[in-house]
Amino acid sequence: MMNHWKERSKNWALMGPPKRPTEGVIRQIRDLVGDHGQVLVLGVTPGLVGAFTNVLAVDREPEMIARVHLGDTDTKHAELMDWFSITGENRFDAIVGDGSLNMVNWPYGAKILMDRLFKLLTPGGRLACRVFTCPDQPVMLEDLIEIAKRPPAMGFNAWRSKLSHFLAQEMGPNVPVREMLRAFNYHWPNRDVLAAASGWDQSDISMIMDAYANSDLWTSFPTRRQWMDCVPDAAINAEIIPTAGYELCEEFPILTFTKEL
Ligand SMILES: C[S@@+](CC[C@H](N)C(=O)[O-])C[C@H]1O[C@@H](n2cnc3c(N)ncnc32)[C@H](O)[C@@H]1O
């Protein structure tokens, strides 16, 4: 089985918004938590590592650290570790991430990870992570087919996010990415036709989608309500805050909560 993030690290440049955070999202996360004390970044998202002064970036994929991490400095370090294995309490004044919480299954992966992260926050510390959500209103296959029929309705990264939402509504919030590729190949068997109609670059489509072929990754797409169900009971000021200024931003808000002083 192929490690998903090892493969993704090789074509990182193709991963645009909404899958990657815009500068506006990075600013919004930094403004929410402030740049003071020690900040834990879940993953090595370069914008987030760049936005804070004292950073520990934790990722379990060596190739992501090698290829995507901005590089260590006196005050910023990347560590190869699973987020569930970060030990201790009251260690971080802020915890941030982009799509990180979607990397574990809903509900128990998300609940257990958020409990762990809550413990890691210092009193008064805040978590702010952009989360990928599934809309409450139905996502129709017919809409996906229509969008893909003519340019320039939507970028490919936003469109494949909508495909994930469709699958999450069919299958439940936890979607194996191989199933994404299967659904894509089933409904759009001819990539020449798709690329010609949509205007999307065929080699980009193939590079992005075929990385799913032997991937072991599951991604979760909970609804807003399902996300809020995972927030630790002791957290305060828990809310889901909209982001703006990029395609499909309405399904990519920021989940935030605070540990009481
Ligand atoms: C932060 S997420 C999403 C990517 C993000 N949208 C971005 O722009 O950088 C991707 C990263 O999470 C890492 N990851 C996933 N699950 C993890 C876990 N349980 N522990 C540590 N790292 C994990 C993957 O190796 C990958 O580098």
Side-chain angles (χ1 to χ4, degrees):
M1 191 64 67
M2 177 183 83
N3 183 303
H4 181 88
W5 291 105
K6 180 176 173 184
E7 291 308 305
R8 268 284 174 263
S9 70
K10 296 174 189 163
N11 51 39
W12 195 243
L14 295 178
M15 296 270 291
K19 294 285 189 187
R20 307 272 342 274
T22 60
E23 282 180 22
V25 165
I26 299 287
R27 267 199 307 278
Q28 196 177 353
I29 291 177
R30 194 195 47 215
D31 292 347
L32 279 170
V33 300
D35 182 17
H36 48 81
Q38 188 66 29
V39 178
L40 172 64
V41 176
L42 299 170
V44 289
T45 303
L48 288 173
V49 171
F52 297 95
T53 309
N54 296 297
V55 172
L56 175 66
V58 173
D59 200 297
R60 68 178 173 192
E61 175 47 56
E63 302 263 345
M64 284 294 290
I65 294 180
R67 291 174 196 265
V68 176
H69 176 45
L70 286 178
D72 280 5
T73 68
D74 286 349
T75 62
K76 303 187 198 213
H77 302 280
E79 207 168 313
L80 184 67
M81 198 195 294
D82 196 292
W83 300 325
F84 290 91
S85 305
I86 308 173
T87 54
E89 285 189 32
N90 304 337
R91 286 182 59 189
F92 299 99
D93 302 282
I95 299 178
V96 297
D98 187 80
S100 319
L101 301 174
N102 296 81
M103 299 294 111
V104 300
N105 275 2
W106 184 89
Y108 293 105
K111 279 181 199 282
I112 291 167
L113 182 58
M114 283 200 224
D115 281 349
R116 175 98 292 279
L117 298 174
F118 182 75
K119 282 203 180 80
L120 289 168
L121 281 174
T122 54
R126 189 168 191 182
L127 172 143
C129 289
R130 193 169 69 117
V131 287
F132 302 177
T133 66
C134 188
D136 289 317
Q137 65 278 19
V139 176
M140 310 301 289
L141 182 62
E142 293 70 29
D143 290 343
L144 284 157
I145 292 171
E146 273 310 307
I147 294 168
K149 266 189 190 158
R150 58 190 65 85
M154 185 177 263
F156 185 69
N157 280 308
W159 182 84
R160 74 186 170 103
S161 297
K162 272 180 102 65
L163 177 60
S164 313
H165 299 156
F166 168 69
L167 289 179
Q169 289 182 350
E170 293 267 294
M171 309 172 54
N174 304 312
V175 180
V177 299
R178 269 174 298 152
E179 201 63 10
M180 286 266 298
L181 177 62
R182 288 190 188 124
F184 176 71
N185 286 338
Y186 184 85
H187 291 294
W188 292 272
N190 189 328
R191 294 186 190 177
D192 288 335
V193 171
L194 174 66
S198 63
W200 297 323
D201 185 286
Q202 195 182 339
S203 65
D204 289 359
I205 294 175
S206 293
M207 205 119 64
I208 290 171
M209 295 307 291
D210 291 337
Y212 291 162
N214 298 308
S215 172
D216 51 5
L217 186 76
W218 290 60
T219 310
S220 71
F221 295 92
T223 62
R224 283 166 164 70
R225 171 77 192 278
Q226 288 172 328
W227 275 121
M228 289 305 276
D229 284 347
C230 296
V231 171
D233 290 342
I236 59 167
N237 303 329
E239 57 180 321
I240 289 191
I241 299 175
T243 64
Y246 57 94
E247 273 184 320
L248 219 60
C249 55
E250 59 279 12
E251 306 308 344
F252 292 78
I254 295 169
L255 169 68
T256 182
F257 58 74
T258 303
K259 187 166 176 177
E260 201 162 9
L261 262 178

